[in-house]
């Protein structure tokens, strides 16, 4: 069985795979990349997206079997160096001159959400870089090149090297993670079992431990 | 012959794919988009600067390489060619560890002068130089090794000091090797992606070269990515063909 | 003015060990087979090879390994002309000739080219020159710098045989006009004899003979010199009225002394017979024809036997005696035709 999953799901899905005893191969990448691969004919059994839009693209292309189900939510958080040396406490702090802020590129979900959050907070940030992947934002903060970045809560939970500064609900954006089986799946029963596990309490608690909010 | 054709096909088929799939109706619009011109301008600036730096540093390096022997030579050669075998992303990380805010050289630079190299155009140029210079060094070293050393000996016997021998004899005789090395280096720099994104980040107008723009566009607007790729291809082809006529006379 | 050189070079199992003095105005030809070390000797004099020993020109020390002194090539004012000219391919003929000049280079170089009759080639590239022209330009390029010592490495060997004689005459004129010391390296005896006042024969890194061309060819001291003089050279021990060769054969010759000696026999003094001759010659040996080599009206016959020799006979003698490889014959040499000198 092959699972195409958003990169941010890797820590949680690796744990789930260890529990369900199904021979599964995981292809973790940015949701856009996965969508592009699937529309170009890549074969997979399950698609777990970090974004409803991409799932809709595949639905419209007629590649999805059944209705996608949202299995987790993710929120944004400000990632800063351990100990928060620059004293960053809110999105507004990111506009401080001299601060090196890195965001995800608006073409990927994390970047799109970050822009939405900054707009809600009415903050203008001049980023030093627009990373094509959230992991790029995370690594630049972790390496100390950037003072702050906007990432998912799950990224902060998984990473040992950064600290999270919460963003209040009024400014935050909640990302929905939908999952679905694919029409051309070769391993239908395994796919169904995997999706069921992800939605069941055991799967949900693993996702929670990885920083996601349950469905 | 058949194998040669197969090899050519391996190059041509992906190109054909790009051309066939190109949204020709949108080409004009994508070309005129300001981001395209910005990325292309930055790409050309960075790759040409990287090639210039590689020439200034790479020619002396090639000279040293060609004049050493034994273990020292093997070590130097391995060090020089390392960026060719290193995955560019790893190269980018290595550059961060050297020139980043917490890097070997980057840390004192930042603490003493407040200078941060990553996320700047300088960083993009450094990344491209790091990845592309080995191509130049290897080509010139090859040229030096195949150079008949009696030309240099004849010049010395005519009273020329080391500098005159180098400037009037070695360098001109090396011109074909320098030229092909510079072209290879420039082409590699132009296509550089991994080290740049890791070390310099991605910001339009500052560090977003065409390959980065293509990658970003691939996520959201695949048609734009194809157009940008074709533009990069056309520009490099035009420059390569133009330079060839100008510098090498007839092909 | 003179050159004194004691040169020792050891490299990859090859050892060059030479001690030579050359006087002002002298042209010395270093002659020897391939691999004798001729080019290494020239390169050592030019300073392109580090040596053990001492090289001194007009009292100015170029090399002295005892004091670790080594004057680099570019400071020696030594002219070096390479075998295949080594003209700079990216420069015109004029730029090549002007290369070693400091001030007014192109004007002076142009004048030299005019005088040498090469004025119309000034703007040509070396690739557009004939072999002979390239050789003359290479020599001019060196001569304009007015070197104190002129070194020529096989100056004619890269040229087509058909033009060699003409270029050799030209070279002889130019060498005569050059006032300093001239050393040329060659493996061609004709070139050496035509151009040099003195021959130095180098074999396996050592000087085996030195002297005027006439002296050297009259009394060869090695197989190489004997071959180029076209004579038979035998070596043995003097036993009063005869010489005993290493293989035990003896040659009767008066006044052979009691020391190691060389004996030279000219091929035309070697007579051949089908049957054992009777009468005066005391030196008679059986021999077998190994091969025949036609030179104009004469035939050189290489003979095996107790005393290996080359005989020179007429074509009619070859016919009359039915000489061909494998033929058995008798050899006779008059004792008075053999010249003997100490080894």
């Amino acid at each position: 069985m092959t699972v195409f999953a958003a990169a941010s799901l890797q820590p949680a899905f690796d744990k789930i795979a260890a529990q369900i005893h199904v021979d599964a191969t995981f292809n973790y990448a940015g949701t856009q990349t996965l969508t592009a691969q699937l529309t170009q004919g890549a074969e997979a059994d399950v698609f777990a997206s970090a974004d409803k839009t991409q799932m809709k693209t595949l639905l419209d292309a007629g590649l999805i079997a059944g209705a996608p189900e949202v299995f987790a939510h993710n929120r944004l958080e400000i990632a800063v160096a351990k100990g928060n040396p620059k004293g960053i406490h809110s999105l507004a702090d990111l506009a401080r001159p001299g601060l090196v802020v890195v965001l995800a590129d608006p073409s990927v979900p994390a970047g799109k959400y970050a822009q939405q959050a900054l707009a809600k907070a009415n903050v203008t940030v001049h980023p030093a870089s627009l990373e094509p992947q959230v992991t790029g934002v995370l690594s630049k903060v972790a390496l100390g090149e950037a003072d702050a970045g906007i990432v998912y809560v799950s990224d902060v939970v998984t990473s040992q090297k950064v600290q999270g500064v919460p963003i209040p609900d009024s400014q935050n954006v909640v990302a929905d993670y939908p999952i679905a089986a694919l029409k051309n799946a070769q391993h239908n029963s395994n796919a169904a079992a995997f999706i069921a596990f992800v939605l069941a309490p055991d799967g949900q608690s693993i996702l929670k431990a990885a920083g996601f909010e349950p469905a | 012959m058949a194998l040669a054709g197969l090899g050519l096909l391996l190059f041509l088929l992906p190109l054909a794919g790009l051309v066939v799939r190109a949204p020709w109706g949108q080409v004009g619009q994508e070309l005129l988009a300001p981001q395209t011109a910005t990325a292309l301008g930055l790409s050309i600036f960075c790759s040409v600067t990287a090639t210039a730096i590689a020439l200034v540093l790479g020619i002396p390096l090639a000279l040293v390489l060609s004049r050493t022997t034994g273990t020292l030579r093997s070590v130097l050669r391995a060090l020089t060619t390392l960026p060719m075998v290193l995955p560019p992303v790893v190269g980018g990380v290595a550059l961060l560890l050297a020139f980043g805010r917490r890097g070997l050289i980057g840390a004192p630079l930042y603490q003493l002068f407040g200078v941060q190299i990553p996320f700047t155009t300088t960083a993009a140029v450094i990344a491209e130089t790091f990845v592309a210079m080995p191509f130049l060094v290897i080509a010139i070293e090859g040229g030096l090794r195949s150079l008949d050393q009696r030309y240099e000996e004849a010049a010395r016997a005519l009273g020329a000091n080391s500098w005159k021998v180098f400037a009037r004899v070695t360098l001109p005789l090396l011109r074909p090797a320098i030229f092909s090395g510079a072209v290879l280096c420039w082409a590699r720099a132009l296509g550089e992606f991994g080290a740049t994104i890791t070390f310099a980040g991605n910001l339009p107008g500052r560090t977003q070269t065409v390959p980065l723009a293509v990658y970003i566009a691939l996520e959201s607007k695949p048609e734009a990515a194809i157009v940008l790729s074709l533009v990069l291809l056309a520009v490099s082809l035009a420059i390569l063909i133009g330079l060839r006529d100008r510098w090498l006379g007839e092909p | 003015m003179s050159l004194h050189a004691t040169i020792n070079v050891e490299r990859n199992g090859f050892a060059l060990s030479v001690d030579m003095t050359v006087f002002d105005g002298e042209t010395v030809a270093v002659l020897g087979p391939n691999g004798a070390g001729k080019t290494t000797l020239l390169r050592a004099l030019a300073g392109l090879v580090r040596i053990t020993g001492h090289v001194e020109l007009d009292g100015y020390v170029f090399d002295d390994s005892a004091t670790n002194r080594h004057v680099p090539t570019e400071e020696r004012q030594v002219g070096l002309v390479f075998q295949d000219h080594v003209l700079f391919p990216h420069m015109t003929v004029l730029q090549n000739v002007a290369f070693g000049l400091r001030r007014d280079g192109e004007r002076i170089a142009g004048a030299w080219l005019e005088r040498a009759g090469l004025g119309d080639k000034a703007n040509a590239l070396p690739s557009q020159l004939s072999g002979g022209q390239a050789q003359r330009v290479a020599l001019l390029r060196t001569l304009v710098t007015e070197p104190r010592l002129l070194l020529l490495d096989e100056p004619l060997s890269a040229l087509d045989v058909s033009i060699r004689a003409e270029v050799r005459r030209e070279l002889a004129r130019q060498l005569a006009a050059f006032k300093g010391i001239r050393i040329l390296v060659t493996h061609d005896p004709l070139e050496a004899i035509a151009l040099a006042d003195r021959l130095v024969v180098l074999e396996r890194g050592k000087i085996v003979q030195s002297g005027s061309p006439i002296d050297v060819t009259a009394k060869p001291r090695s197989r190489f010199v004997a071959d180029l003089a076209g004579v038979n050279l035998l070596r043995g021990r003097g036993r009063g009225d005869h010489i005993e060769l290493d293989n035990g054969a003896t040659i009767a010759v008066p006044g052979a002394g009691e020391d190691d000696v060389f004996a030279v026999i000219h091929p035309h003094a070697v007579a051949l017979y089908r049957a054992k001759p009777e009468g005066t010659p005391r030196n008679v040996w059986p021999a077998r024809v190994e091969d025949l080599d036609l030179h104009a009206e004469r035939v050189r016959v290489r003979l095996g036997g107790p005393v290996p020799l080359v005989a020179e006979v007429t074509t009619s003698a070859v016919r009359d005696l039915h000489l061909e490889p494998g033929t058995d014959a008798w050899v006779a040499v008059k004792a008075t035709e053999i010249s003997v000198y100490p080894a």
Side-chain angles (χ1 to χ4, degrees), chain B residues 58 113 139 204 220:
Chain B
F113 308 106
S220 49

Side-chain angles (χ1 to χ4, degrees), chain B residues 218-231:
Chain B
L218 216 48
E219 301 276 305
S220 49
K221 295 191 290 178
E223 314 78 39
I226 294 174
V227 172
L228 261 177
S229 310
L230 284 175
V231 168

Side-chain angles (χ1 to χ4, degrees), chain A residues 32-33 40 81 86 100 102 105 107-108 127-133 140 142-147, chain B residues 21 96-97 100-102 110 116 118-119 197-204 206 208 215-216 219-220:
Chain A
Q32 267 70 16
T33 309
Q40 293 292 322
K86 299 277 178 174
V100 180
V102 169
D105 191 84
S107 64
V108 300
S129 175
L130 297 170
E131 296 291 321
Q133 279 155 5
K140 255 123 197 174
L143 282 167
E145 292 309 329
D147 297 315
Chain B
R21 285 298 180 85
L96 276 178
L97 297 179
R101 280 207 303 204
R102 292 189 199 160
Y110 181 64
Q116 182 178 6
F119 308 127
I197 192 99
T198 312
F199 178 52
N202 170 54
L203 195 70
R206 203 190 298 167
Q208 191 187 72
Y215 185 80
I216 295 287
E219 301 276 305
S220 49

Side-chain angles (χ1 to χ4, degrees), chain C residues 288-328:
Chain C
R288 172 165 290 179
V289 175
E290 286 183 348
D291 64 45
L292 303 162
D293 193 7
L294 184 69
H295 285 277
E297 293 301 301
R298 313 286 287 178
V299 178
R300 291 197 153 217
V301 185
R302 201 151 60 79
L303 302 157
V307 183
L309 289 172
V310 172
E312 194 176 287
V313 297
T314 60
T315 44
S316 57
V318 170
R319 217 170 27 245
D320 297 346
L321 295 170
H322 305 292
L323 294 180
E324 57 186 63
T327 313
D328 287 317

